[in-house]
């Protein structure tokens, strides 16, 4: 029943089934992604792997290689796996932590559902979450969504359990409070959404502690200091490394700066929903619907999720269930971010009829899954009340509907996968054509240093079979500046793309450089490979 939380823990066999089934789904999705070469479709996934690798494989190894915009935890989790060159180059390094986060997230959503739902209805929640084709694809990549979804789910689980045990089991409540603090710190260091999540969740924890006269708890204040320190540490890192504590907001690689560079002057708003919260809200809701259901079912699914959540609100212990409303936080967060935070979402069915940031809608998956679980519980309760012998058939019908929904999303091609394929179409010709030339040039120039920018096409390095420290790139700071001032005397090979810093340096200092080949691609800046006629012994690898 939904009127009481579960009194007995989930059985060991129940957990085994959940873990085994979700691990199987993860492995099958990984094999599919491997066979179809889809692990590196997203440019952002490639960039995450690149950032993790350069922490130790560069002229200036260290935490400064984490950069200023993307938060550090996903890259630190990738670090053990990108040490294997082949895993860095083929994307397996990204699959491992994402798949583990997916399995953990599936376990968390089932545990959350079982606080109020019977196993038959909790399976609806788990299946809707675990069988989502977009999530199954993203967990084969280095994208951050699987990790953040896992953090959202387990934060909610532990908040519910902390509130349920606060008045009658202080040791358990203290353990859960520590878990809440740790997952909030993880969320703060994963995505900026996590900053708002942490602020709201921890403020709520403080209010509950105040009402329960436990605000003086030592563990609460220690945990509070840790949660508050997380964003302050990121401010300090940006100030020390990049000279601006808000470099991630207003620096050259921030979302606002990228929007300014890519916007067409005089062409109207930079993206749909710009300075219009209502249009931004509609875009995010539509994106979330398309991420979890076929287009024709989206509105119905949203309504069922909202009704299921509302029914749960009226039939459960609200003090504990209230925390699950945090799963709906992405709605106001992205409505604001799209309108005022330089965070566009493009959908194929709406102007400008393209694919961009479609994965953001995935953050609504836990809320939809839990709401539908409660809807399923209601349906089963009604059948049990009037036609008890049909209960099993009703449960089977619910499972079939969930499976059919996943199949229809898959048949229509998952939105995030399509965006990934569109993304790689702009890079694939260069990634196929340039590395063989670089390998052939380095075959006659062992240990040759390559001067190039790596932020746009980082895979060119991995596909050429050389470590990052054999290049001089924009993350090398003083080495890079020196090489730009005299390209021919610092590198044996130079790769420049029209308009980038290397290209400008070559045009300003062409002496000693000979063009080998030019690569052109419609809609992309052309790349040119040069070799230096300066003796090789004048170009040692800087260390």
């Amino acid at each position: 029943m939904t009127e009481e939380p579960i009194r007995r823990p989930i059985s060991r066999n129940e957990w085994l089934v959940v873990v085994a089934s979700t691990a199987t789904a993860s492995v099958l999705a990984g094999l599919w992604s491997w066979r179809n070469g889809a692990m590196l479709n997203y440019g952002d996934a490639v960039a995450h792997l690149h950032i993790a690798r350069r922490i130790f494989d560069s002229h200036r190894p260290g935490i400064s290689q984490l950069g200023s915009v993307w938060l550090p935890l996903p890259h630190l989790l990738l670090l053990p796996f990108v040490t294997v060159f082949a895993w860095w180059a083929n994307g397996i390094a990204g699959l491992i932590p994402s798949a583990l986060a997916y399995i953990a997230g599936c376990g968390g959503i089932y545990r959350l559902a079982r606080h109020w739902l019977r196993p038959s209805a909790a399976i609806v929640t788990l299946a809707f979450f675990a069988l989502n084709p977009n999530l199954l694809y993203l967990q084969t990549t280095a994208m951050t969504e699987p990790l953040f979804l896992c953090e959202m789910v387990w934060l909610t689980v532990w908040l519910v359990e902390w509130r349920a045990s606060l008045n009658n089991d202080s040791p358990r409540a203290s353990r859960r409070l520590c878990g809440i603090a740790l997952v909030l710190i993880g969320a703060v260091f994963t995505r900026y959404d996590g900053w708002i999540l942490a602020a709201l969740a921890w403020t709520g924890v403080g209010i509950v502690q105040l009402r329960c006269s436990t605000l003086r708890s030592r563990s609460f204040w220690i945990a509070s200091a840790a949660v508050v320190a997380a964003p302050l540490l990121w401010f300090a890192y940006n100030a020390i490394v990049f000279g601006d504590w808000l470099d991630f907001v207003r620096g050259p690689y921030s979302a606002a700066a990228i929007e300014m560079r890519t916007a067409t002057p005089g062409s109207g708003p930079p993206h749909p929903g710009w300075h219009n919260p209502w249009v931004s809200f509609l875009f995010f809701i539509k994106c979330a619907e398309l991420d979890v259901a076929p287009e024709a079912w989206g509105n119905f699914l949203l309504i069922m999720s909202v009704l299921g959540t509302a029914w749960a609100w009226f039939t459960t212990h609200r003090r504990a269930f209230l925390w699950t409303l945090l799963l709906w936080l992405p709605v106001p967060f992205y409505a604001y971010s799209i309108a005022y935070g330089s965070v566009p979402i493009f959908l194929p069915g709406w102007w400008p009829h393209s694919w961009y940031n479609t994965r953001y809608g995935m953050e609504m998956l836990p809320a939809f899954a839990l709401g539908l679980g409660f809807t399923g519980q209601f349906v089963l309760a009604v059948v049990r009340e009037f036609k008890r012998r049909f209960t099993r058939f009703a449960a089977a019908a619910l499972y079939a509907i969930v499976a059919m929904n996943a199949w229809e999303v898959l048949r229509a091609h998952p939105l995030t996968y399509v965006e990934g394929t569109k993304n790689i179409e702009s890079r694939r010709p260069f990634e196929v054509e340039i590395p063989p030339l670089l390998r052939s040039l380095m075959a006659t120039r062992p240990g040759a240093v390559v001067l190039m920018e790596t932020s746009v096409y980082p895979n060119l390095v991995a596909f050429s079979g050389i470590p990052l420290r054999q290049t001089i790139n924009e993350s090398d700071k003083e080495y890079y500046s020196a090489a730009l001032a005299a390209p021919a005397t610092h590198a044996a090979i130079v790769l420049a793309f029209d308009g980038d810093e290397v290209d400008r340096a070559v045009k300003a200092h062409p002496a000693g450089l000979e063009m080998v080949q030019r690569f052109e691609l419609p809609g992309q800046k052309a790349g040119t490979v040069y070799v230096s006629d300066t003796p090789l012994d004048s170009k040692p690898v800087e260390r």
Side-chain angles (χ1 to χ4, degrees):
M1 300 294 291
T2 59
E3 288 76 9
E4 296 290 337
I6 57 174
R7 296 298 183 188
R8 59 181 178 81
I10 301 172
S11 69
R12 182 180 179 183
N13 288 339
E14 212 171 333
W15 272 124
L16 286 174
V17 171
V18 170
V19 173
S21 59
T22 55
T24 300
S26 176
V27 170
L28 291 176
L31 291 173
W32 179 90
S33 191
W34 169 265
R35 290 188 61 185
N36 288 273
M39 291 181 182
L40 299 174
N41 279 6
Y42 268 102
D44 283 0
V46 175
H48 288 309
L49 293 167
H50 172 67
I51 290 171
R53 176 78 184 190
R54 75 187 187 193
I55 292 173
F56 64 90
D57 181 12
S58 69
H59 296 293
R60 303 174 69 256
I63 62 170
S64 64
Q65 296 292 349
L66 287 168
S68 65
V69 177
W70 277 330
L71 290 159
L73 183 58
H75 307 124
L76 295 175
L77 294 178
L78 288 168
L79 197 53
F81 309 107
V82 295
T83 57
V84 180
F85 189 97
W87 291 1
W88 167 51
N90 60 28
I92 288 179
L95 177 147
I96 298 172
S98 291
L100 292 175
Y102 162 79
I103 294 170
C106 289
I109 199 72
Y110 185 75
R111 177 165 167 167
L112 180 63
R114 285 285 279 115
H115 273 277
W116 300 283
L117 305 181
R118 295 187 177 192
S120 55
I123 290 173
V124 173
T125 293
L126 173 62
F128 189 83
F129 184 90
L131 293 178
N132 180 269
N134 285 289
L135 180 57
L136 283 169
Y137 168 61
L138 289 175
Q139 63 95 39
T140 71
T141 73
M143 302 299 282
T144 62
E145 278 71 23
L147 175 61
F148 191 69
L149 287 179
C150 176
E151 292 165 344
M152 285 181 64
V153 168
W154 277 101
L155 169 66
T156 309
V157 170
W158 284 334
L159 282 168
V160 168
E161 294 179 358
W162 167 76
R163 186 63 186 91
S165 60
L166 186 61
N167 296 327
N168 51 35
D169 190 347
S170 295
R172 186 171 188 261
S174 295
R175 292 194 299 271
R176 291 295 176 268
L177 191 65
C178 290
I180 292 166
L182 287 174
V183 78
L184 284 178
I185 292 170
V188 165
F189 285 129
T190 300
R191 293 179 67 92
Y192 292 103
D193 323 25
W195 294 34
I196 306 302
L197 185 65
L200 291 177
W202 203 252
T203 299
V205 168
I207 292 172
V208 173
Q209 295 270 64
L210 178 63
R211 289 180 175 178
C212 294
S213 301
T214 57
L215 194 59
R216 294 183 179 181
S217 165
R218 182 181 178 185
S219 60
F220 169 73
W221 287 106
I222 292 174
S224 296
V227 172
V228 172
L232 296 180
L233 185 60
W234 190 241
F235 289 144
Y237 165 83
N238 273 261
I240 293 170
V241 176
F242 300 99
D244 182 0
W245 68 289
L246 287 176
D247 190 74
F248 61 95
V249 174
R250 59 195 181 197
Y253 298 104
S254 65
I258 292 173
E259 184 175 67
M260 288 291 291
R261 287 197 299 269
T262 56
T264 303
S267 62
H271 62 263
W274 187 74
H275 288 193
N276 190 325
W278 175 245
V279 173
S280 300
F281 168 81
L282 292 178
F283 260 79
F284 179 70
I285 290 296
K286 186 64 174 180
C287 179
E289 291 178 356
L290 291 174
D291 277 340
V292 301
E295 186 169 7
W297 298 11
N299 290 336
F300 177 76
L301 178 142
L302 174 64
I303 292 170
M304 290 297 101
S305 297
V306 171
L307 290 177
T309 302
W311 184 62
W313 170 257
F314 288 111
T315 58
T316 62
H317 284 285
R318 297 183 189 177
R319 288 181 178 178
F321 182 79
L322 178 67
W323 296 105
T324 68
L325 299 183
L326 285 172
L327 297 176
W328 292 85
L329 178 62
V331 174
F333 176 84
Y334 278 102
Y336 176 87
S337 297
I338 296 170
Y340 303 109
S342 302
V343 180
I345 291 178
F346 296 162
L347 300 173
W350 290 1
W351 182 86
H353 306 289
S354 185
W355 290 259
Y356 189 60
N357 288 335
T358 58
R359 62 191 184 278
Y360 289 167
M362 291 299 300
E363 290 192 19
M364 289 304 299
L365 181 59
F368 286 160
L370 187 62
L372 289 175
F374 279 104
T375 301
Q377 178 87 328
F378 175 79
V379 171
L380 293 175
V382 170
V383 173
R384 191 178 296 112
E385 181 71 22
F386 295 101
K387 295 288 184 179
R388 192 174 189 87
R389 65 180 183 275
F390 292 134
T391 304
R392 290 185 178 180
F393 296 105
L398 289 175
Y399 305 153
I401 291 172
V402 171
M404 186 181 302
N405 175 77
W407 170 252
E408 288 298 320
V409 173
L410 189 62
R411 194 166 68 91
H413 303 298
L415 207 60
T416 59
Y417 173 69
V418 174
E419 181 182 347
T421 59
K422 300 291 182 182
N423 197 294
I424 199 173
E425 285 176 1
S426 64
R427 309 190 326 265
R428 192 189 302 276
F430 285 157
E431 292 180 348
V432 170
E433 296 171 8
I434 294 178
L437 175 61
L438 295 180
R439 288 195 298 269
S440 67
L441 293 174
M442 287 183 287
T444 59
R445 298 167 175 79
V449 176
V450 182
L451 172 61
M452 62 183 292
E453 284 194 4
T454 58
S455 58
V456 178
Y457 301 105
N459 259 3
L460 294 180
V461 180
F463 291 172
S464 297
I466 61 173
L468 280 169
R469 63 180 174 272
Q470 197 172 328
T471 71
I472 299 177
N473 60 71
E474 66 275 21
S475 69
D476 293 324
K477 301 267 177 140
E478 63 271 16
Y479 301 107
Y480 186 59
S481 298
L484 293 179
T489 60
H490 286 78
I493 302 170
V494 177
L495 172 58
F497 288 91
D498 289 356
D500 70 6
E501 285 189 301
V502 177
D503 180 57
R504 293 196 296 271
V506 168
K507 291 176 179 176
H509 311 285
L513 294 176
E514 177 186 351
M515 188 181 80
V516 177
Q517 189 171 342
R518 185 170 173 84
F519 300 87
E520 296 184 346
L521 184 66
Q524 302 297 318
K525 294 179 180 179
T528 308
V529 175
Y530 303 86
V531 293
S532 169
D533 59 13
T534 305
L536 294 179
D537 58 9
S538 68
K539 298 185 247 334
V541 176
E542 303 281 359
R543 297 189 186 278

